[in-house]
Amino acid sequence: AKNSGRSAHVAFAPHMREDAAKRVQLELDLRRALERDEIVLYYQPKVALRSGQVIGFEALVRWKHPDGEMISPAEFIPVAEETGLIRDLGMLTLRQAIRQAEQWRRDGILTDEMNVAVNISGRQIGDKGLVGFIRDQLQESGLPPHSLRLEVTESLLINSDTTTGEFFREIKALGIGIDMDDFGTGYSSLSYLHRFPFDALKVDRSFVQRIDQTEESLSLPRSIVALGKALGMRVLAEGIENMEQLTQLIRIECGYGQGYLFSKPVPAEEVPEMMRHLDSK
Ligand code: C2E
Ligand code: CA
Ligand code: CA
Ligand code: CA
């Protein structure tokens, strides 16, 4: 009887138990990581496609696990969101990015026309203290608000329209820009554009990856560029990896982009070197 009870589970239970255990371990580790210095930001440049000029950087979080492994945000952001740790993680990344941006301004690396963008998860938007925290961080660091941007995805859908609307109003009132991330992948991207005043659209990488010599592969990116123009928003293509994609994007007059072709995300200390490298291209 013992045996049959166990075998009834065999089909699905072992991996489920493993997953649950893995997540609990991940949560414990992440809690500890937040207290130590294991969470760092990497930075990827955003460029004006025609001139190649760097217009800013996107801050992307990295977790340097003590066992030497680099854990991807795709793996731990969802856990952070489910456990509420996203609040601490979000404050940590905002504080780091804001301090770093101000340091770069003083070093002359970040000009007045450039900015640093931070990814914000939908769960953070529901946090009443977030806007106040950002305001305080800007004040403390001395970073001008226009040197900071926020990137949000459709995950903001988890909040009510009122909450999201308030968040936009307050952030805009501070003078901070908001960009729509992963544009074109969600269900309601279009209705968002209508309701909330985004400053830029980021064309999802999946569209850029599909670009080849065919005109069909360009039809979606081209429509998004037209849409952005009509609404007075900048359009930035994500995940540009090769010259062909770059050439085609320039051809359809997409203004901005980022991707491995220019640079992978790098640690803050490697940014000056990356800039020199990009300048010499
Ligand atoms: P995302 O905001 O769409 O970021 C773009 C992702 O594409 C990054 O992955 C980046 O490293 C990667 N990428 C950039 N250029 C290329 C390219 O040319 N080719 C390819 N294949 N990939 C490229 P990453 O850093 O692993 O981040 C994954 C996601 O995790 C991000 O997607 C974002 O949604 C989330 N994330 C990252 N940092 C944060 C953060 O500080 N807070 C929050 N809430 N989410 C974050
Ligand atoms: Ca992003
Ligand atoms: Ca994106
Ligand atoms: Ca994404």
Side-chain angles (χ1 to χ4, degrees):
K2 227 183 182 180
N3 252 347
S4 69
R6 209 192 279 157
S7 62
H9 283 200
V10 162
F12 62 92
H15 77 271
M16 274 176 60
R17 215 182 299 134
E18 226 171 78
D19 279 1
K22 226 180 124 185
R23 290 177 73 81
V24 171
Q25 189 59 49
L26 198 60
E27 180 187 346
L28 288 173
D29 285 358
L30 185 55
R31 239 175 244 291
R32 204 197 45 218
L34 284 164
E35 285 157 16
R36 303 177 187 179
D37 279 338
E38 293 171 25
I39 306 288
V40 295
L41 290 176
Y42 275 37
Y43 296 88
Q44 186 178 40
K46 301 181 179 187
V47 305
L49 294 183
R50 258 182 205 288
S51 64
Q53 195 142 41
V54 177
I55 58 156
F57 305 97
E58 176 177 6
L60 293 154
V61 74
R62 297 287 179 267
W63 176 5
K64 286 185 173 170
H65 200 270
D67 71 10
E69 204 191 339
M70 273 287 212
I71 305 178
S72 151
E75 210 171 313
F76 66 86
I77 295 283
V79 176
E81 286 179 339
E82 276 168 40
T83 55
L85 286 171
I86 192 69
R87 191 164 177 272
D88 288 344
L89 183 70
M91 291 196 292
L92 188 109
T93 51
L94 275 161
R95 189 187 298 119
Q96 262 191 41
I98 289 171
R99 298 247 161 105
Q100 186 61 64
E102 178 53 24
Q103 185 59 52
W104 281 335
R105 274 178 63 87
R106 278 192 229 125
D107 296 345
I109 289 170
L110 197 79
T111 66
D112 212 41
E113 289 70 45
M114 291 161 70
N115 53 64
V116 172
V118 177
N119 290 284
I120 298 286
S121 112
R123 301 251 166 225
Q124 292 175 263
I125 289 170
D127 173 5
K128 290 269 174 267
L130 179 67
V131 178
F133 177 80
I134 294 175
R135 189 200 307 112
D136 292 348
Q137 289 300 314
L138 288 178
Q139 235 150 40
E140 257 174 55
S141 66
L143 185 75
H146 68 261
S147 301
L148 178 68
R149 300 185 79 75
L150 304 181
E151 293 187 8
V152 297
T153 62
E154 268 190 81
S155 68
L156 76 145
L157 191 67
I158 59 168
N159 302 289
S160 70
D161 270 20
T162 320
T163 304
T164 305
E166 246 167 60
F167 174 78
F168 266 82
R169 258 193 311 286
E170 291 174 359
I171 288 295
K172 303 296 256 182
L174 287 179
I176 298 168
I178 309 178
D179 299 342
M180 182 169 223
D181 212 345
D182 300 351
F183 186 76
T185 54
Y187 294 108
S188 47
S189 305
L190 280 175
S191 78
Y192 272 130
L193 293 190
H194 190 63
R195 280 180 290 169
F196 306 115
F198 290 97
D199 298 281
L201 296 179
K202 297 189 72 174
V203 182
D204 192 71
R205 188 172 82 214
S206 56
F207 300 118
V208 175
Q209 262 162 351
R210 265 177 237 137
I211 292 179
D212 51 31
Q213 273 122 350
T214 65
E215 281 303 307
E216 296 96 287
S217 72
L218 284 171
S219 58
L220 264 160
R222 186 184 269 129
S223 317
I224 300 175
V225 169
L227 185 65
K229 288 224 166 94
L231 296 171
M233 297 174 186
R234 287 182 164 193
V235 176
L236 181 144
E238 296 189 304
I240 305 175
E241 292 182 354
N242 58 53
M243 282 305 291
E244 168 152 40
Q245 292 162 347
L246 174 62
T247 309
Q248 296 285 46
L249 286 163
I250 290 176
R251 201 162 68 80
I252 61 168
E253 287 177 36
C254 178
Y256 307 90
Q258 67 190 101
Y260 296 166
L261 179 64
F262 307 104
S263 170
K264 290 200 170 185
V266 301
E269 57 276 16
E270 286 174 28
V271 163
E273 166 74 32
M274 173 243 281
M275 294 285 281
R276 276 193 293 279
H277 184 73
L278 282 172
D279 273 347
S280 67
K281 268 194 193 170

